[in-house]
Amino acid sequence: MRKVIVMTAILALTACGQESNDKIQRAKAASESTVVQAPVAHWALEITEGQRATIPDTTGRLLDNGFTPYIFESGGVQHFLIGPFTTEAQALEAQEKMKLKPKLDGIETNVIELPAVK
């Protein structure tokens, strides 16, 4: 990603007729010192065991109401999840939104913390 930024800056400076090494070096330095850490999702809503028996029906109902479920395997066990969410508060908020949708009555969820990615 940094190489793309540096190359874009170099091309932009060259295209403008400003081939100054000073400006190129400043563009390189700025791109190297800027490191952005993306937020890591650690939380999800797990569909309870009873709903897992009807995965196709439950998946359709969730998708129709703006929730995207997925299967996550951990330790040989498959989990039917919605998310992932960056914070526990976001997961709880999504859980509350689900409870307010009449078409999702009967779909029970638990907020869980996802294992750390190695």
Side-chain angles (χ1 to χ4, degrees):
M1 182 71 176
R2 288 186 207 160
K3 288 181 182 179
V4 173
I5 294 170
V6 170
M7 291 306 295
T8 304
I10 291 169
L11 289 174
L13 291 172
T14 303
C16 295
Q18 300 173 0
E19 300 174 328
S20 168
N21 280 337
D22 257 358
K23 291 182 181 182
I24 292 172
Q25 293 306 321
R26 282 186 285 180
K28 283 183 181 180
S31 68
E32 290 173 1
S33 64
T34 306
V35 177
V36 177
Q37 182 70 23
V40 179
H42 291 289
W43 299 91
L45 297 178
E46 182 174 30
I47 308 296
T48 58
E49 200 63 39
Q51 293 297 317
R52 291 179 61 188
T54 60
I55 287 177
D57 176 54
T58 303
T59 299
R61 289 170 54 201
L62 288 167
L63 288 171
D64 288 345
N65 286 278
F67 296 95
T68 305
Y70 66 99
I71 303 289
F72 175 75
E73 189 169 334
S74 175
V77 178
Q78 291 186 339
H79 303 272
F80 189 33
L81 305 176
I82 298 169
F85 302 98
T86 306
T87 64
E88 183 179 15
Q90 289 175 334
L92 289 168
E93 183 180 334
Q95 187 178 41
E96 288 303 313
K97 285 181 182 177
M98 282 184 66
K99 289 178 182 177
L100 296 175
K101 299 212 179 224
K103 292 184 179 181
L104 298 180
D105 279 346
I107 298 179
E108 297 295 323
T109 60
N110 295 320
V111 175
I112 64 166
E113 186 172 9
L114 298 172
V117 178
K118 294 179 183 177

